[in-house]
Amino acid sequence: MSDDAVSVRYIHPNGREWTIDVAPGLSVMEAAINEGIPGITAECGGECVCATCHVYVDEAFLAALPPIEEQEDEMLEGTASPRQPNSRLSCQIRVVPGLSGVTIRLPKSQI
């Protein structure tokens, strides 16, 4: 991976962890799918219409994310696991250098 890769840590509800280097510009969802990390279903392929890529973002990194847009906010109301203040759809989180070291917790269920 290139020098500008961003480190992203995923934690599954069963405790298993993966830390991967992600190219800037990919979504947190795309990176997980590309690496075969279980726990993100992504039925719509990243179109922000299914809420099956719901994740919990490390609260220390929430300010580094763009604000939740209306469509994402609506989708987060229908997640299988409870919405929390740090809930986001991973398809809407673009990896940028300011996210290096972020922890993404996967919910118990996506469907």
Side-chain angles (χ1 to χ4, degrees), residues 11-40:
I11 301 177
H12 194 274
N14 68 11
R16 185 164 178 207
E17 298 183 20
W18 299 262
T19 300
I20 61 173
D21 290 331
V22 180
L26 284 178
S27 71
V28 168
M29 178 211 78
E30 290 169 321
I33 298 296
N34 290 347
E35 292 293 322
I37 296 172
I40 294 179

Side-chain angles (χ1 to χ4, degrees), residues 12-96:
H12 194 274
N14 68 11
R16 185 164 178 207
E17 298 183 20
W18 299 262
T19 300
I20 61 173
D21 290 331
V22 180
L26 284 178
S27 71
V28 168
M29 178 211 78
E30 290 169 321
I33 298 296
N34 290 347
E35 292 293 322
I37 296 172
I40 294 179
T41 305
E43 288 180 349
C44 73
E47 298 297 320
C48 195
V49 295
C50 73
T52 61
C53 67
H54 175 219
V55 296
Y56 303 113
V57 178
D58 180 350
E59 292 177 3
F61 287 86
L62 288 176
L65 299 178
I68 294 175
E69 293 187 9
E70 184 177 347
Q71 185 174 359
E72 180 181 3
D73 191 44
E74 289 174 10
M75 295 308 307
L76 284 167
E77 291 302 322
T79 58
S81 291
R83 181 178 184 171
Q84 297 178 7
N86 62 334
S87 286
R88 292 297 298 260
L89 296 182
S90 61
C91 69
Q92 299 302 297
I93 303 171
R94 290 283 159 203
V95 174
V96 296

